[in-house]
């Protein structure tokens, strides 16, 4: 074949003119999603977690899948984030599942149960104990796919305007709590409140609240709760952990390329680690600052802990008896929780106690 004919057959003419263009495989599509979040901007760790999540999704997809936080996308005051995302209000959103426990009580297991799992144990149940599959089954008819995206770790027991010496001091106490803790408090004679984070300090100052539980030292310090209610009680038995969730609209997720779906899952898992580690890193210094500014730390009386534990067990059993959906999740969670508590008593708790002992002074001759 002459050279001229060869070039023509290859799609090139004299002078390099293109006579035919071979098909070129297209890369992944450029997609942009708005993100909704209930996390207040004053709380830097939670918002840092949001920024970490969207940055990782972009990095994992070569900046072809961009997620931007949109402040205009917010559920109504009484609408849980998972419902907002499931109804198409946003393709993706972050929040706490127990906000919807009034309608689906089993969602407490996706956030926190009094006297339940700590953050490490929660991750173990979700990722290795079947918890995530059970929660996704619960939320299948809500049109969302949930992912663990962070955890505050063990929280403080709450900030009180006056000392709490006995269980009777909880009678009539107007106490801001969340999730299942509200029912436990009610059982003990208290009056659970749902005051928003932005009103907590003011409500304590004007005495419309007697006590408030938000999170741990870092967040509570930023909200200034100790300025209005100086007595801080521990342990935080009401929320030994508080898992946060990322909800992805099911239809929107189904339209994503597989590699983008995987990027969201990986980014959520990394954000889960980032948020939890950030709280663990910053809480000790915040606790020191709280006490330096006048916070008074007190352990809860044993009488209150025992009464609250009994109330929790009774509430869990009652919910399991009333709902097959709750009973199915509880049947997985309860033995896992009991086994974790036993293991941690033998290993982790004993190590923590021994590690905190002060070594004897070396004798000098």
């Amino acid at each position: 074949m002459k050279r001229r004919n060869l070039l023509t057959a290859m799609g090139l003419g004299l002078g390099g003119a293109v006579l035919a263009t071979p098909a070129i495989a297209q890369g992944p599509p450029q997609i942009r999603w708005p993100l909704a979040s209930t996390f207040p901007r004053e709380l830097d760790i939670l918002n840092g977690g949001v920024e970490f999540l969207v940055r990782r999704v972009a990095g994992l997809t070569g900046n072809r899948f961009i997620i931007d936080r949109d402040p205009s996308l917010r559920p109504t005051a009484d609408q849980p984030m998972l419902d907002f995302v499931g109804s198409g209000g946003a393709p993706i959103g972050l929040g706490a599942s127990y906000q919807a426990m009034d309608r689906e009580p089993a969602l407490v297991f996706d956030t926190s149960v009094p006297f339940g799992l700590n953050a490490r144990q929660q991750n173990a149940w979700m990722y290795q104990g079947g918890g995530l599959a059970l929660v996704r089954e619960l939320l299948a008819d809500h049109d969302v796919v949930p992912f663990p995206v962070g955890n505050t770790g063990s929280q403080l027991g709450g900030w009180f305007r006056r000392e709490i010496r006995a269980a009777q001091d909880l009678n009539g106490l107007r106490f801001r709590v969340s999730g299942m803790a509200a029912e436990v408090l009610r059982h003990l004679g208290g009056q659970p409140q749902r005051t928003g984070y932005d009103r907590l300090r003011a409500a304590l100052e004007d005495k419309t609240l007697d006590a408030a539980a938000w999170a741990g030292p870092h967040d509570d310090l930023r909200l200034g709760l100790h300025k209005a209610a100086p007595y801080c009680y521990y342990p935080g038995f009401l929320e030994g952990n508080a898992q946060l969730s990322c909800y992805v609209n099911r239809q929107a997720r189904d339209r994503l390329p597989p590699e983008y779906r995987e990027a969201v899952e990986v980014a959520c898992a990394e954000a889960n680690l980032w948020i939890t580690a950030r709280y663990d890193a910053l809480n000790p210094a915040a606790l020191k600052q709280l006490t330096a500014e006048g916070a008074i730390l007190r352990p809860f009386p044993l009488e209150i802990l025992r009464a609250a534990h009994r109330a929790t067990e009774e509430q869990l059993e009652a919910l399991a008896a009333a709902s097959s959906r709750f009973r199915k999740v509880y049947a997985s969670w309860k033995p896992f929780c009991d086994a974790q508590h036993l293991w941690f008593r033998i290993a982790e708790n004993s190590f923590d106690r021994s590690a905190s002992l002060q070594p004897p002074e070396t004798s000098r001759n």
Side-chain angles (χ1 to χ4, degrees):
M1 180 182 291
K2 293 183 179 180
R3 178 176 175 82
R4 181 182 181 92
N5 292 335
L6 176 62
L7 294 175
T8 302
M10 294 175 59
L12 298 176
L14 294 176
V18 177
L19 300 181
T21 303
I24 300 175
Q26 294 186 352
Q30 188 81 37
I31 296 177
R32 185 177 293 271
W33 273 8
L35 177 144
S37 172
T38 59
F39 300 155
R41 288 195 174 275
E42 292 85 347
L43 302 182
D44 59 324
I45 295 180
L46 295 180
N47 284 289
V50 175
E51 294 170 2
F52 179 93
L53 172 67
V54 301
R55 187 168 62 249
R56 288 299 292 134
V57 170
L60 290 167
T61 60
N63 291 316
R64 300 193 69 83
F65 184 17
I66 304 298
I67 300 175
D68 296 309
R69 179 170 179 169
D70 187 342
S72 69
L73 294 180
R74 297 186 63 84
T76 59
D78 58 349
Q79 183 184 30
M81 177 61 76
L82 66 89
D83 286 342
F84 182 71
V85 172
S87 64
I92 186 171
L94 277 64
S97 291
Y98 66 9
Q99 294 173 341
M101 70 164 291
D102 290 346
R103 187 177 66 259
E104 184 63 80
L107 287 175
V108 297
F109 297 111
D110 194 39
T111 307
S112 182
V113 176
F115 297 99
L117 302 171
N118 64 25
R120 271 184 59 192
Q121 295 163 345
Q122 178 76 10
N123 276 337
W125 182 63
M126 292 295 287
Y127 291 126
Q128 300 295 329
L132 184 56
L134 287 168
V135 171
R136 286 180 174 172
E137 182 180 334
L138 274 179
L139 292 178
D141 55 1
H142 293 264
D143 288 326
V144 296
V145 180
F147 301 86
V149 77
N151 203 306
T152 67
S154 183
Q155 301 190 356
L156 294 172
W159 295 90
F160 297 75
R161 291 194 298 109
R162 63 176 187 271
E163 286 191 81
I164 302 296
R165 296 186 175 88
Q168 65 186 24
D169 292 334
L170 298 178
N171 289 332
L173 191 79
R174 295 164 299 178
F175 190 0
R176 189 273 177 196
V177 292
S178 302
M180 190 176 168
E183 293 306 315
V184 173
L185 178 64
R186 188 176 288 111
H187 187 92
L188 298 178
Q191 298 178 9
Q193 308 292 310
R194 291 189 174 184
T195 311
Y197 82 94
D198 55 338
R199 279 280 305 152
L200 286 181
R201 179 173 176 178
L204 289 166
E205 289 174 338
D206 64 25
K207 300 181 181 180
T208 56
L209 274 182
D210 300 311
W214 177 254
H218 183 79
D219 285 358
D220 292 358
L221 176 64
R222 292 180 70 87
L223 295 180
L225 302 185
H226 62 299
K227 300 292 186 180
Y231 294 98
C232 178
Y233 281 83
Y234 64 91
F237 64 87
L238 294 174
E239 295 194 36
N241 87 96
Q243 179 186 283
L244 309 165
S245 295
C246 174
Y247 311 106
V248 180
N249 180 275
R250 186 176 299 278
Q251 287 74 33
R253 181 176 182 270
D254 288 346
R255 290 193 293 268
L256 289 176
E259 59 267 36
Y260 289 9
R261 293 199 295 268
E262 184 175 355
V264 171
E265 184 168 4
V266 170
C268 283
E270 292 183 4
N272 187 15
L273 175 62
W274 188 93
I275 290 176
T276 307
R278 189 72 173 160
Y279 272 115
D280 282 343
L282 297 184
N283 273 333
L287 185 62
K288 287 184 179 180
Q289 186 172 345
L290 285 167
T291 56
E293 294 182 9
I296 304 168
L297 299 181
R298 293 281 189 271
F300 275 114
L302 186 58
E303 174 191 4
I304 289 179
L305 294 177
R306 286 174 173 165
H309 196 279
R310 285 194 300 271
T312 299
E313 292 296 318
E314 291 171 4
Q315 181 69 10
L316 287 170
E317 293 297 331
L319 289 169
S323 167
S324 60
R325 289 162 67 90
F326 188 98
R327 188 162 56 249
K328 181 175 181 179
V329 183
Y330 185 50
S332 165
W333 180 90
K334 175 62 173 172
F336 191 93
C337 182
D338 290 345
Q340 288 292 305
H341 286 175
L342 175 60
W343 163 240
F344 269 60
R345 280 199 300 271
I346 298 299
E348 301 290 338
N349 297 353
S350 62
F351 173 80
D352 291 344
R353 287 193 299 271
S354 64
S356 64
L357 294 175
Q358 295 295 324
E361 293 185 8
T362 303
S363 59
R364 296 180 180 179
N365 296 325

